[in-house]
């Protein structure tokens, strides 16, 4: 660090110039990300609440109340207004917190967690941190977890089962009702990772799409990850962890006796925690309501079908599977998808690449013109390569 700092204007100038290297959501370049441009109202509120710290409830009692209310609103969206939980840094922290609770509730100190092979890598981190072992279960032909295989993997050492409502690679929804039955029958903790799907699936029935049950309506579901900073239109960081009831959450609670408000209890991994995130989510849920979010989902899904149809009409590439949510997996028989992704990137289009496919996430910031120019680029690249 230099002894003397630079003037504000110079710092800003430098910064703005350097940040130009970053991709932006508005430009239509970001096509593979599960995050999106936050709604302007949320950005405004977030920036005015930067000093609020949920780690010190005595200082920010109003923010604490707003977080609680927002969690209840989310709980009601997920069929349980009595759910409790917190806004955390993201889906990773939410998944870790869920398995932390499952582990603490196990009197027998069981340590195996059955996860779909499609589970996000945050579960590897959770297992590593918590001293748990992941038992991975292969998918069925529809890319969902094979529930017969889940049953076969259950032993006296099984602690929990994980189901995914919106897989990272393809946006697939596991058969959560079946997983719930299995969990109830074997008295196992069931965690649902709806980091992506939690703000999408609740609107499917009303929109006339396939109704996929995944939430607290299913009696076996103990906890749900649902991330406002993905399809919830919230600024980063905003992950969400919801528990079916207080008792589950209490298993990870720690008493903090010395803060300004007196004795408090904390049930999150981190201490100092963004109040701005929670307040921004409260504002989003209150402002958009079901109607607003439903419209967002409809727009994304309409665009998803358009993209999917166009891919189906191309010869050299095809869909991995019909999209369930606003995530499209594109594969090719003749072309290496890594080369395809690299060529797209050279044209300024950022997609995610999995071993056998490219992922396009049709997020709220993606517009029809973006999809059209992506398709044009894709066609040109395919012509150039083959
Ligand atoms: N669960 C699922 C199903 C996820 O897809 C993800 C992340 C997580 C949990 C973890 O969430 P956090 O990243 O909030 O901790 N899914 C995205 C992915 O891996 C994360 C992401 C988002 C990556 C935007 C890049 C990006 O630009 O693709």
């Amino acid at each position: 660090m230099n002894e003397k700092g630079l003037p504000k204007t110079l710092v800003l100038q430098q910064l703005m110039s350097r940040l130009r290297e970053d991709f932006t959501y508005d430009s239509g370049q970001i096509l593979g990300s599960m995050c999106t441009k936050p709604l302007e109202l949320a950005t405004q509120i977030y920036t005015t609440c930067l000093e609020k710290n949920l780690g010190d409830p005595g200082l920010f009692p109003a923010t604490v109340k707003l977080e609680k209310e927002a969690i209840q609103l989310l709980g009601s969206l997920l069929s349980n207004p009595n759910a409790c939980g917190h806004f955390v840094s993201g889906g990773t922290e939410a998944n870790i917190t869920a398995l932390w609770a499952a582990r603490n509730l196990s009197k027998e100190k069981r340590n195996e967690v059955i996860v779909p092979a499609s589970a996000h890598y945050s579960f590897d981190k959770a297992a590593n941190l918590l001293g748990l072992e992941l038992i991975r279960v292969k998918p069925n032909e529809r890319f969902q977890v094979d529930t017969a295989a889940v049953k076969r993997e259950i032993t006296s050492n099984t602690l929990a089962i994980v189901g995914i409502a919106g897989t990272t690679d393809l946006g697939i929804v596991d058969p959560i009702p079946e997983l719930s039955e299995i969990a109830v029958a074997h008295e196992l903790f069931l965690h649902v990772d709806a980091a992506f799907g939690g703000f999408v699936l609740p609107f499917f029935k009303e929109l006339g799409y396939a109704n996929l049950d995944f939430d607290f309506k299913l009696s076996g579901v103990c906890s749900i990850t649902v991330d406002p900073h993905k399809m919830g239109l919230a600024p980063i960081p905003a992950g969400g962890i919801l528990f079916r009831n207080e008792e589950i959450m209490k298993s990870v609670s720690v008493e903090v006796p010395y803060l300004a408000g007196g004795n408090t209890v904390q049930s999150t991994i981190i201490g100092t925690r963004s109040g701005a995130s929670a307040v921004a989510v409260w504002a989003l849920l209150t402002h958009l309501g079901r109607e607003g979010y439903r419209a967002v989902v409809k727009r994304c899904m309409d665009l998803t079908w358009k993209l999917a149809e166009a891919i189906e009409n191309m010869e050299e590439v095809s869909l991995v599977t019909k999209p369930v949510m606003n995530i499209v997996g594109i594969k090719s028989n003749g072309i290496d998808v890594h080369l395809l992704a690299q060529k797209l990137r050279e044209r300024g289009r950022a997609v995610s690449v999995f071993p056998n496919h490219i992922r396009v996430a049709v997020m709220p910031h993606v517009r029809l013109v973006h999809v059209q120019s992506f398709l044009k680029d894709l066609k040109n690249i395919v012509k150039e390569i083959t």
Side-chain angles (χ1 to χ4, degrees):
M1 203 196 298
N2 294 331
E3 176 58 29
K4 251 184 147 355
L6 294 178
K8 230 167 29 179
T9 47
L10 216 60
V11 174
L12 275 173
Q13 232 173 48
Q14 272 193 21
L15 200 60
M16 288 308 134
S17 142
R18 293 189 54 180
L19 287 175
R20 253 180 247 140
E21 198 188 327
D22 287 352
F23 286 67
T24 62
Y25 295 109
D26 281 332
S27 65
Q29 295 176 305
I30 302 181
L31 290 164
S33 166
M34 281 189 168
C35 287
T36 194
K37 191 180 166 111
L39 201 74
E40 203 176 321
L41 171 76
T43 308
Q44 259 172 29
I45 289 169
Y46 184 89
T47 49
T48 55
C49 292
L50 286 173
E51 64 185 35
K52 310 223 176 271
N53 172 15
L54 283 165
D56 199 339
L59 299 183
F60 304 99
T63 307
V64 171
K65 276 185 210 140
L66 287 165
E67 180 190 35
K68 245 193 193 136
E69 257 181 60
I71 290 288
Q72 272 163 8
L73 290 173
L74 256 189
S76 70
L77 185 68
L78 303 177
S79 310
N80 180 10
N82 296 320
C84 54
H86 292 289
F87 294 109
V88 294
S89 58
T92 299
E93 192 186 336
N95 285 338
I96 295 170
T97 309
L99 294 194
W100 185 23
R103 192 202 63 177
N104 285 3
L105 286 169
S106 166
K107 292 182 196 83
E108 304 92 344
K109 306 274 175 242
R110 300 171 176 200
N111 79 337
E112 287 177 6
V113 180
I114 302 176
V115 296
S118 60
H120 186 255
Y121 59 79
S122 48
F123 288 100
D124 295 273
K125 297 182 184 178
N128 189 264
L129 282 162
L130 295 162
L132 303 173
E133 195 189 331
L134 296 187
I135 310 293
R136 286 171 213 279
V137 170
K138 60 178 176 34
N140 62 22
E141 67 291 345
R142 276 168 295 154
F143 302 94
Q144 298 171 305
V145 72
D146 178 346
T147 50
V150 168
K151 274 192 211 160
R152 282 198 299 275
E153 294 293 354
I154 296 174
T155 69
S156 57
N157 202 16
T158 305
L159 166 72
I161 302 176
V162 171
I164 321 280
T167 56
T168 307
D169 56 348
L170 290 167
I172 297 290
V173 182
D174 285 327
I176 312 288
E178 281 176 55
L179 292 180
S180 170
E181 277 175 28
I182 296 170
V184 170
H186 292 84
E187 295 183 17
L188 295 171
F189 191 103
L190 174 60
H191 172 63
V192 175
D193 182 356
F196 188 79
F199 274 95
V200 181
L201 294 170
F203 308 104
F204 269 25
K205 195 176 168 190
E206 298 151 24
L207 287 168
Y209 310 151
N211 184 32
L212 299 165
D213 282 336
F214 74 102
D215 64 17
F216 290 116
K217 195 185 295 159
L218 306 167
S219 61
V221 175
C222 299
S223 56
I224 301 180
T225 288
V226 48
D227 286 353
H229 73 198
K230 295 191 170 71
M231 280 297 287
L233 294 165
I236 298 167
I241 177 67
L242 265 69
F243 296 108
R244 174 174 286 279
N245 56 48
E246 198 116 357
E247 199 191 318
I248 303 177
M249 191 169 80
K250 274 190 187 148
S251 70
V252 295
S253 293
V254 170
E255 283 200 18
V256 188
Y258 64 89
L259 296 177
N263 205 13
T264 60
V265 172
Q266 227 175 64
S267 314
T268 48
I269 295 171
I270 52 174
T272 300
R273 191 159 55 87
S274 168
S277 293
V279 173
V281 175
W282 180 92
L284 279 167
L285 299 176
T286 307
H287 172 63
L288 288 174
R290 293 187 70 98
E291 187 186 40
Y293 276 114
R294 189 163 55 237
V296 171
V297 170
K298 182 172 184 329
R299 230 198 101 255
C300 292
M301 289 310 296
D302 283 346
L303 209 45
T304 300
W305 307 135
K306 283 200 178 99
L307 171 61
E309 196 188 329
I311 297 294
E312 278 300 71
N313 287 332
M314 283 178 70
E315 264 169 31
E316 302 78 359
V317 293
S318 58
L319 297 175
V320 177
T321 182
K322 190 171 165 260
V324 177
M325 277 190 250
N326 45 328
I327 301 221
V328 182
I330 304 170
K331 64 174 182 176
S332 173
N333 273 338
I335 308 165
D336 173 12
V337 286
H338 289 87
L339 179 64
L340 213 51
Q342 185 198 320
K343 294 277 178 198
L344 280 164
R345 202 175 168 90
E346 282 165 17
R347 285 170 161 79
R349 310 216 169 270
V351 293
S352 309
V353 216
F354 288 81
N356 298 309
H357 73 271
I358 278 173
R359 173 185 79 179
V360 174
V362 186
M363 298 299 288
H365 65 269
V366 178
R367 287 184 269 135
L368 179 62
V369 284
H370 301 152
V371 170
Q372 285 165 340
S373 44
F374 164 75
L375 284 164
K376 201 167 135 204
D377 278 350
L378 188 64
K379 282 176 189 157
N380 286 335
I381 292 167
V382 163
K383 228 186 268 163
E384 181 191 307
I385 299 177
T386 51

